[in-house]
Amino acid sequence: MGLTGRLLHPMVGQKRASWDKALDLVAKRFRDAVERHGPDSVAFYVSGQLLTEDYYVANKLMKGFIGSANIDTNSRLCMSSAVAGHNRAFGEDIVPASYDDLDEADLIVLVGSNTAWCHPIVYQRIQAARAERGTKLVVIDPRRTETCEGADLHLPLRPGTDVALFNGLLAWCDRAGVTDPGFLADHVSAPEGFWEHVRAAHDVWTTARTCDVAPALLQQFYELFAATPRAVTLFSQGINQSIRGTDQVNAIINVHLATGRIGRPGAAPFSITGQPNAMGGREVGGLASTLAAHMDFAPENVARVGRFWAAPTMATRPGLKAVDLFRAIGEGRIKALWIMATNPAVSLPDAGRVREALAACPFVVVSDVIVDTDSSAFAHVRLPAAAWGEKDGTVTNSDRTISRQRPFMALPGQARPDWWIVKEVARRMGWRNAFAYERPADIWREHARLTAYQNDGARLLDLRSHATIGNEAYDAMEPFRWGGTPFADGRFSTPDGRARLVPVSQIDVQRPLRDWALTLNTGRYRDQWHTMTRTGLSPRLARHREEPLVELHPQDAQALRIVDGDLARVATPQGDSLFRARISEGQRPGEIFTPIHWTDQQSSGGRTGLLPRSLVDPHSGQPGFKSTPARVERIATEWRGFLILRGHQPARIPCLWATRIAVPDGVLYEIAGNGDPARLEACLPRGDRVEAIDAARGTRRTAIITAGRLTGVLFVTRTGLLPSRDWLIGQLEAESVGASVLAARGPGSQPDKGPTVCVCFDVGLHQIMAAIRAQKLVDVPSIGQALGAGTNCGSCRPALASILAQIQEETLLAAE
Ligand SMILES: Nc1nc2c(c(=O)[nH]1)N[C@H]1C(S)=C(S)[C@@H](COP(=O)(O)OP(=O)(O)OC[C@H]3O[C@@H](n4cnc5c(=O)[nH]c(N)nc54)[C@H](O)[C@@H]3O)O[C@H]1N2
Ligand SMILES: Nc1nc2c(c(=O)[nH]1)N[C@H]1C(S)=C(S)[C@@H](COP(=O)(O)OP(=O)(O)OC[C@H]3O[C@@H](n4cnc5c(=O)[nH]c(N)nc54)[C@H](O)[C@@H]3O)O[C@H]1N2
Ligand SMILES: [Mo]
């Protein structure tokens, strides 16, 4: 929320510009492109981090006035498979679940979701339900994540075999007689041959072999599911981000439809959202494949929305989906592109290609809150948007609850809300009356009216009670969920009111290729958000994982002669990047994992975006981010070390490996390289220099003291250990330091806290271990009482549980 790195005024090229000048330029370039090359020569690439009002205005401008549907969103990378799956099964993109279902379920199945890290609040709610009513928890994920800690079952399936697993479950339920014939007869239709197909191919043994899980484990899950009517299946990116994502979604929904476990308390398939307002984007129609307000491009819908908007040039067919859009940009077919609230140079698959496309695009506009991002490096115009605490509007969450987001901070500098920026461009393109919004409430009312417009019940999304809401009532709006309990009456949004069972088959999972024998899986860390433009500024958040790691199973590491802490190059046919190796039993052999977060702004390596291929699901266009053929090799370095700088930062650190970590009053770089490390001294500021060299260990420690204060530290070693950085970092804030800083430890200074486990209360591993031993703590709540750890956001509780388990095991062994 601070102003570090904030974009505070419009910029044209590298120069500051007035809003008038910047907006006129954007309007002119978009108008010129449309006039010369037609409406499909321009595009918007937007984001689930816009508010519903922002999204509505952008969608209206592109689809009703510019006359193209070339507006797509990063939700394409996130949940478009869920959208496509819902449409196929229900006839409308409805999430038929609410968070209350988690409280009422007896079984919760997490599929392809690292909930403990990515949805910590939901995860705490699940844990509370478990403590209260003994809800069973099953995790289906190829990796053993912290979400598996304390779960009743973990199925570490072969990636990409979820269709087989859920088809197997459906067959099991059929055989066990727990399908719901009444519900099927009255409310569901199945294509011919559906049941024969399910029954034929899916015995437990075959399925277990396909999924590479122990048959007994699989059977245990099937028995549990069959015996538990109140079951919620919650899924996210392990299901969606796949070239068979939509089929995987329908495989899950099929089971719930067939067992009638939908539209009832505690029973639902539950697609969980990633970004704060990805759902609001779906409601306004911000995907290139949807029109507006849950309508598609059927001619009657185009006519209806056109009438409502009094639109001069309606888009009549879907536009380009994200991956295709950037391909079109690369081919020169898009002459002007506007990116809002997303960082595609990092987050799209095959990001090297994306960068080439951006570099070749004649006109790129980026609306962002941060000056320098990997994408804004390609912008001709940068527009300063309002950030989270300054924004005013609404958002929708996973369970259709719409909440007001109210600003609690003033707009800094020249920053403006995204809706304001878009409507100003629209007005300058000539559509003054259609975009005469003065406040978010004006847009909200229009959006609500459109959802109700000629909606005779065909669409569940209907906000008519809000169509005439006053400005004050809008400001005072309480969160509300639309759609009630969808499908409680057994009526679905299809023409005949019946849900559809969709026949889906497991496609063969690609065998490892000779040169690319490993499979790369990618995803999130607990304490970073996507491309780190904001979380990367927080020293504390950096402590959980300071560097981008490639996690490998011990067997693979041994074969590759990689030990924990080595640098390793991950390569795929698309590109390559360096990572720090972490050996992990939680990986399946043959599969590696890297985080999506690091960018050019923080690191010389860790560039996961360069690695995935741009293959997409045929129905949804969502990329298969979770599975890319890859290989890994060890990269030898002669020395490693760290560099701490107060204030100033060099543009480049001249060595093989450098990752930047924000620290209070400065930055810390973890570094490694070959050759003479003396060239790094160029990065140090001017000042008095103290130095210690230990030739035997190949260690050299340099500190720079300027006017009594510590301004730079360079520690390098060829063989020895490096001291903890914490004490030195603390010295950046000290009024005066002396030559003793080279000891990296003050007189009588506190023992090292160890790696941070609880970020909220800044509690380290060593502190936790010491407290467990000294105070004989036996459970996670007692650690919380002793140290505070885990008592706020709770996302470290699985880590606390595993530390506890480890110490208990050691104590037992010692006793024996
Ligand atoms: N800390 C943090 N939280 C976040 C975010 C963040 O950046 N940081 N981003 C938010 C956003 S936008 C999103 S979309 C969500 C994503 O939330 P999640 O979906 O929970 O996160 P991911 O780490 O992308 O992937 C989830 C899991 O899918 C597993 N997986 C991979 N392949 C398969 C497979 O074939 N089958 C199955 N069953 N599982 C598989 C991976 O091993 C991984 O553990 O998180 C949201 N929350
Ligand atoms: N390999 C791999 N790639 C992935 C994924 C994966 O699992 N694996 N996950 C995919 C998923 S699910 C997602 S959601 C994407 C996320 O990827 P991105 O959307 O590219 O990531 P963010 O860092 O969230 O980018 C948001 C940008 O908007 C800016 N911003 C923040 N708030 C505002 C605002 O209010 N207005 C404006 N105008 N700008 C703002 C931020 O500074 C930042 O630059 O990544 C996708 N890419
Ligand atoms: Mo996402």
Side-chain angles (χ1 to χ4, degrees):
M1 288 189 292
L3 293 184
T4 313
R6 267 303 282 274
L7 175 61
L8 290 171
H9 37 74
M11 292 179 73
V12 175
Q14 291 308 317
K15 287 215 192 77
R16 221 173 137 143
S18 68
W19 268 115
D20 269 333
K21 195 176 157 216
L23 293 166
D24 283 342
L25 178 64
V26 174
K28 179 178 177 327
R29 293 296 300 258
F30 271 78
R31 211 175 35 223
D32 287 354
V34 172
E35 269 166 24
R36 258 183 248 154
H37 307 280
D40 288 334
S41 69
V42 301
F44 296 167
Y45 184 55
V46 304
S47 153
Q49 291 167 79
L50 295 174
L51 301 184
T52 300
E53 288 76 2
D54 303 327
Y55 239 131
Y56 179 87
V57 180
N59 193 53
K60 177 178 175 181
L61 172 58
M62 186 52 87
K63 290 184 184 148
F65 291 77
I66 290 176
S68 166
N70 282 346
I71 170 170
D72 210 35
T73 142
N74 63 359
S75 297
R76 180 70 59 198
L77 318 177
C78 184
M79 52 191 351
S80 57
S81 296
V83 174
H86 291 154
N87 281 325
R88 288 206 298 190
F90 310 140
E92 185 173 356
D93 175 24
I94 300 285
V95 178
S98 88
Y99 289 127
D100 301 336
D101 289 318
L102 299 174
D103 309 333
E104 297 177 57
D106 296 317
L107 167 65
I108 297 173
V109 185
L110 305 176
V111 199
S113 170
N114 189 2
T115 325
W117 280 13
C118 296
H119 295 94
I121 310 295
V122 171
Y123 182 74
Q124 291 316 316
R125 191 156 172 172
I126 293 172
Q127 292 302 341
R130 297 183 73 204
E132 245 163 66
R133 62 200 305 260
T135 315
K136 294 270 189 279
L137 183 65
V138 176
V139 181
I140 302 176
D141 191 314
R143 292 190 304 151
R144 188 173 180 86
T145 62
E146 283 193 359
T147 300
C148 306
E149 195 63 50
D152 296 285
L153 280 179
H154 168 224
L155 271 53
L157 83 175
R158 188 201 311 275
T161 60
D162 298 81
V163 168
L165 190 126
F166 280 91
N167 277 350
L169 175 59
L170 185 57
W172 180 279
C173 290
D174 177 48
R175 248 171 286 155
V178 298
T179 52
D180 184 337
F183 189 77
L184 284 170
D186 295 344
H187 304 298
V188 183
S189 64
E192 205 162 331
F194 178 86
W195 286 106
E196 288 72 16
H197 167 74
V198 167
R199 284 172 194 142
H202 300 101
D203 63 284
V204 174
W205 304 100
T206 316
T207 308
R209 204 171 325 117
T210 308
C211 300
D212 191 27
V213 292
L217 199 62
L218 192 65
Q219 182 165 337
Q220 227 179 317
F221 166 55
Y222 286 178
E223 280 169 357
L224 184 61
F225 192 95
T228 319
R230 288 183 175 231
V232 171
T233 308
L234 186 146
F235 60 93
S236 52
Q237 299 315 343
I239 287 296
N240 294 342
Q241 284 175 344
S242 161
I243 54 168
R244 49 181 84 82
T246 306
D247 282 358
Q248 293 178 165
V249 169
N250 286 109
I252 292 173
I253 295 176
N254 283 348
V255 172
H256 279 268
L257 285 173
T259 52
R261 294 176 184 177
I262 190 165
R264 296 178 187 169
F270 194 170
S271 150
I272 192 158
T273 290
Q275 300 174 90
N277 196 37
M279 291 289 280
R282 281 152 72 167
E283 289 161 10
V284 303
L287 289 157
S289 40
T290 56
L291 176 58
H294 280 198
M295 284 175 270
D296 62 11
F297 287 89
E300 65 274 18
N301 291 336
V302 172
R304 183 183 303 122
V305 176
R307 265 195 309 281
F308 179 84
W309 281 339
T313 34
M314 279 298 290
T316 52
R317 57 190 158 82
L320 293 167
K321 300 185 180 116
V323 170
D324 294 336
L325 172 60
F326 278 81
R327 194 170 292 133
I329 297 168
E331 290 164 2
R333 289 189 275 138
I334 303 291
K335 312 294 179 191
L337 170 71
W338 189 350
I339 297 167
M340 302 174 207
T342 176
N343 198 353
V346 183
S347 55
L348 277 169
D350 200 356
R353 277 284 187 79
V354 169
R355 284 162 189 245
E356 286 166 20
L358 285 171
C361 186
F363 190 61
V364 178
V365 182
V366 172
S367 297
D368 207 290
V369 300
I370 297 290
V371 186
D372 290 314
T373 71
D374 286 16
S375 299
S376 75
F378 298 95
H380 300 94
V381 177
R382 279 180 275 187
L383 302 174
W388 175 66
E390 303 141 19
K391 289 172 76 106
D392 190 0
T394 58
V395 294
T396 310
N397 74 3
S398 293
D399 81 353
R400 289 166 282 107
T401 299
I402 297 181
S403 304
R404 278 283 275 127
Q405 178 164 330
R406 300 183 180 87
F408 54 90
M409 290 171 78
L411 286 170
Q414 302 273 306
R416 293 287 178 274
D418 287 291
W419 66 265
W420 183 91
I421 304 174
V422 180
K423 71 107 181 169
E424 280 301 315
V425 169
R427 288 165 67 88
R428 280 157 218 258
M429 289 180 79
W431 300 297
R432 301 199 75 79
N433 295 334
F435 292 87
Y437 311 114
E438 283 176 15
R439 55 180 73 78
D442 297 338
I443 306 165
W444 171 256
R445 280 185 288 265
E446 187 179 310
H447 163 56
R449 273 199 293 126
L450 177 55
T451 64
Y453 185 62
Q454 298 175 352
N455 184 355
D456 48 5
R459 291 167 272 131
L460 219 49
L461 172 64
D462 185 339
L463 304 171
R464 69 181 63 218
S465 61
H466 281 253
T468 55
I469 189 172
N471 294 340
E472 276 164 31
Y474 175 78
D475 281 341
M477 189 198 286
E478 293 287 326
F480 70 98
R481 184 186 303 139
W482 62 263
T485 305
F487 317 139
D489 58 357
R491 253 201 81 76
F492 294 84
S493 304
T494 50
D496 61 6
R498 297 169 79 90
R500 307 275 187 261
L501 288 170
V502 182
V504 289
S505 304
Q506 178 66 48
I507 307 170
D508 275 349
V509 174
Q510 199 176 1
R511 303 212 165 276
L513 308 166
R514 207 168 58 95
D515 290 341
W516 312 99
L518 300 170
T519 303
L520 170 68
N521 174 8
T522 62
R524 291 157 171 81
Y525 280 169
R526 192 188 78 186
D527 293 349
Q528 295 297 345
W529 178 265
H530 296 165
T531 71
M532 287 170 83
T533 61
R534 292 162 295 161
T535 47
L537 301 168
S538 160
R540 265 208 206 168
L541 294 179
R543 304 311 302 275
H544 176 245
R545 293 280 185 274
E546 298 189 332
E547 296 184 299
L549 306 173
V550 52
E551 289 171 61
L552 313 106
H553 188 270
Q555 227 168 287
D556 294 321
Q558 201 181 13
L560 294 160
R561 297 181 196 292
I562 291 175
V563 299
D564 202 86
D566 275 349
L567 286 184
R569 173 175 287 126
V570 179
T572 70
Q574 290 68 244
D576 65 77
S577 193
L578 281 187
F579 293 81
R580 179 84 63 198
R582 165 73 58 93
I583 314 304
S584 161
E585 298 271 358
Q587 288 295 128
R588 286 169 51 98
E591 280 148 35
I592 58 173
F593 180 87
T594 65
I596 61 173
H597 307 294
W598 272 263
T599 72
D600 282 355
Q601 313 301 314
Q602 287 98 12
S603 169
S604 61
R607 296 300 325 289
T608 289
L610 302 173
L611 307 172
R613 48 191 174 176
S614 50
L615 288 182
V616 301
D617 176 272
H619 308 283
S620 66
Q622 179 154 356
F625 280 125
K626 297 287 188 255
S627 174
T628 307
R631 64 171 171 243
V632 178
E633 64 178 324
R634 174 171 181 267
I635 299 295
T637 53
E638 292 163 5
W639 50 262
R640 62 180 293 184
F642 61 86
L643 176 68
I644 298 172
L645 298 172
R646 187 192 153 84
H648 98 288
Q649 287 171 36
R652 211 183 76 82
I653 310 291
C655 60
L656 188 64
W657 175 258
T659 52
R660 191 182 72 185
I661 296 153
V663 300
D665 271 3
V667 285
L668 160 70
Y669 291 92
E670 293 293 328
I671 53 178
N674 295 314
D676 188 355
R679 65 176 183 276
L680 285 159
E681 306 224 337
C683 301
L684 290 170
R686 277 175 218 277
D688 298 330
R689 182 187 169 88
V690 286
E691 194 160 46
I693 297 179
D694 176 344
R697 291 211 199 106
T699 303
R700 91 197 255 148
R701 298 180 169 193
T702 309
I704 306 292
I705 299 169
T706 315
R709 301 192 64 156
L710 185 64
T711 52
V713 174
L714 175 61
F715 277 32
V716 171
T717 180
R718 285 177 189 272
T719 53
L721 294 174
L722 291 161
S724 155
R725 289 71 168 152
D726 290 354
W727 184 83
L728 282 165
I729 290 166
Q731 295 308 296
L732 290 176
E733 292 170 309
E735 290 298 332
S736 88
V737 295
S740 64
V741 288
L742 292 184
R745 192 154 60 80
S749 69
Q750 294 291 314
D752 175 18
K753 287 199 278 195
T756 308
V757 176
C758 170
V759 167
C760 298
F761 294 110
D762 198 11
V763 190
L765 176 65
H766 299 170
Q767 285 173 291
I768 294 165
M769 294 175 69
I772 293 173
R773 291 195 175 109
Q775 302 177 41
K776 308 225 173 342
L777 306 177
V778 292
D779 54 19
V780 172
S782 62
I783 302 177
Q785 269 163 14
L787 299 166
T791 59
N792 187 41
C793 85
S795 65
C796 68
R797 279 191 224 167
L800 296 176
S802 86
I803 298 166
L804 195 64
Q806 202 182 326
I807 292 181
Q808 282 165 346
E809 195 176 326
E810 280 165 16
T811 319
L812 275 178
L813 285 176
E816 278 171 20

